[in-house]
Amino acid sequence: MRHATEHADFPTAELDTALRGGPFHVALRAAIAARGLPLQRVQHHLSRYGVKVGVTSLSYWQQGARRPQRPESLRAVRALEEILRLPDESLIRLLAESDDRATAGRPAGRSYRSLIEASDVQDRLRAELGGSLDGGLHTLGHHEHVRIGARRELAGREAHHIVRAHRDGVDRFLAVHHGDPGSSPRDMRVRALENCRTGRVHWDQDTGVLVAELLFGTRLRSGDTFLFRYGVDDGTAGVSGEYLNRFDLPGGQYSLQVHFETAALPGRCHRFTQHSAAAPRNGRQELSMTEPHHCVHVVEPRIRPGILGIAWEWE
């Protein structure tokens, strides 16, 4: 529910332009000016949302001297979208896009636009295969092993799922693979490794998204658990800089392990999270590589909606 503000003006042309192209501080300044709110009033409205931000910080944000980064600051940005009557995630999106520009020189990074496009394509391909969001299955455990090849490419991955059916008759799972920028899903190979076989496979060449039907060979009853494993051979793109997974629904444990070939070891690795594709990255934590296995990993006791990944920097 949105709180009322002193003004309900429609966006000015300047604000409209700033919201489309940014940068964040220009859009924030234009939005505050369009509503005619002094920063003290903005701070007051934020306090009604349970968010504490100083007037000085707000001034720095709209001048571009500082950027919101801490979780409390990002909560404030979301509240500002409501207080200033802006479209949902319009300011958050601009923050994410500025992060994209700041890391533009890194290989194979996933931009805001690429994540949104991939999400839309994923939903379309899933619908083509007649699947729903969860497919009647609740995730108890999801474990991924990603391989980075000697050319520093995403060579492939294997996934092990432990699921429980929450309705009768479930007999398949729709697996999603999102290749790195420039990948060719038509040249990828889906391998059914345990307790399943490959059915239909649909893909979108432009976004690098592939959705594969994995058939269980049995119909589960509500409450039944099931374990299955599959792999995707990729290796169709250039240098890889990260691997991430997007979760739409809560679930059980998730682990992600990235293995690097001896001939292609990164300089540094870190984990990261995103509340959504439009949100800035946070939760950064440096990861130590295990020797002699050349692996890094993260373990999340419970899956939460959002994005979790590992990124690395090449020497």
Side-chain angles (χ1 to χ4, degrees):
M1 178 177 175
R2 295 179 180 268
H3 296 289
T5 58
E6 285 88 336
H7 296 269
D9 303 335
F10 292 102
T12 64
E14 179 186 354
L15 174 56
D16 230 356
T17 300
L19 288 175
R20 285 197 305 270
F24 167 80
H25 70 279
V26 173
L28 176 61
R29 185 168 64 240
I32 292 174
R35 301 297 172 248
L37 291 174
L39 292 183
Q40 288 81 1
R41 293 301 300 165
V42 175
Q43 181 192 40
H44 172 72
H45 286 302
L46 285 171
S47 68
R48 294 170 62 187
Y49 282 77
V51 180
K52 294 182 179 180
V53 177
V55 171
T56 301
S57 293
L58 290 171
S59 177
Y60 283 156
W61 291 356
Q62 69 171 358
Q63 293 172 27
R66 292 182 185 172
R67 295 175 64 253
Q69 292 181 320
R70 295 182 300 106
E72 180 76 1
S73 299
L74 297 179
R75 282 185 58 215
V77 173
R78 294 187 182 279
L80 284 169
E81 291 173 349
E82 296 197 12
I83 293 166
L84 301 173
R85 297 183 179 272
L86 302 175
D88 289 344
E89 298 207 324
S90 55
L91 292 178
I92 286 288
R93 175 181 60 82
L94 291 175
L95 273 177
E97 288 183 343
S98 64
D99 284 346
D100 291 340
R101 288 190 289 270
T103 59
R106 297 178 186 173
R110 306 300 179 101
S111 69
Y112 162 75
R113 286 188 176 84
S114 71
L115 288 172
I116 293 299
E117 289 171 1
S119 177
D120 292 342
V121 167
Q122 177 180 322
D123 292 342
R124 173 175 61 79
L125 296 179
R126 185 188 284 121
E128 289 177 2
L129 292 171
S132 59
L133 187 60
D134 68 354
L137 297 168
H138 177 72
T139 298
L140 301 179
H142 180 187
H143 310 291
E144 288 194 280
H145 179 198
V146 173
R147 294 178 288 111
I148 304 300
R151 295 185 294 105
R152 301 182 175 183
E153 82 284 8
L154 173 58
R157 68 183 180 90
E158 291 185 5
H160 184 189
H161 288 260
I162 307 170
V163 296
R164 175 184 286 123
H166 60 75
R167 59 177 171 80
D168 292 336
V170 179
D171 62 353
R172 65 175 186 158
F173 175 83
L174 295 183
V176 177
H177 179 76
H178 184 188
D180 278 332
S183 63
S184 176
R186 67 162 60 96
D187 298 316
M188 299 176 190
R189 177 186 172 213
V190 179
R191 295 179 291 114
L193 299 174
E194 190 173 5
N195 298 335
C196 62
R197 62 183 176 86
T198 306
R200 295 170 292 171
V201 179
H202 287 197
W203 65 78
D204 180 81
Q205 193 70 10
D206 292 337
T207 58
V209 173
L210 176 150
V211 178
E213 185 180 49
L214 300 173
L215 306 173
F216 298 159
T218 185
R219 290 185 178 274
L220 305 180
R221 295 171 299 179
S222 180
D224 284 351
T225 56
F226 196 74
L227 288 75
F228 62 97
R229 191 164 58 92
Y230 71 93
V232 178
D233 294 331
D234 192 333
T236 62
V239 175
S240 181
E242 65 184 25
Y243 181 84
L244 58 85
N245 206 325
R246 190 194 81 179
F247 301 100
D248 297 306
L249 299 168
Q253 184 187 77
Y254 174 70
S255 67
L256 169 61
Q257 176 177 273
V258 181
H259 172 263
F260 298 90
E261 289 290 336
T262 305
L265 298 180
R268 301 176 67 185
C269 302
H270 68 268
R271 76 184 291 277
F272 64 87
T273 59
Q274 284 178 265
H275 177 75
S276 69
R281 291 184 174 182
N282 52 41
R284 180 183 173 113
Q285 179 184 349
E286 297 296 321
L287 300 175
S288 298
M289 186 172 296
T290 59
E291 297 292 351
H293 310 294
H294 306 317
C295 294
V296 292
H297 74 275
V298 295
V299 177
E300 288 293 320
R302 294 197 61 81
I303 295 171
R304 292 175 291 182
I307 292 171
L308 172 65
I310 295 176
W312 49 90
E313 300 172 12
W314 297 107
E315 291 285 4

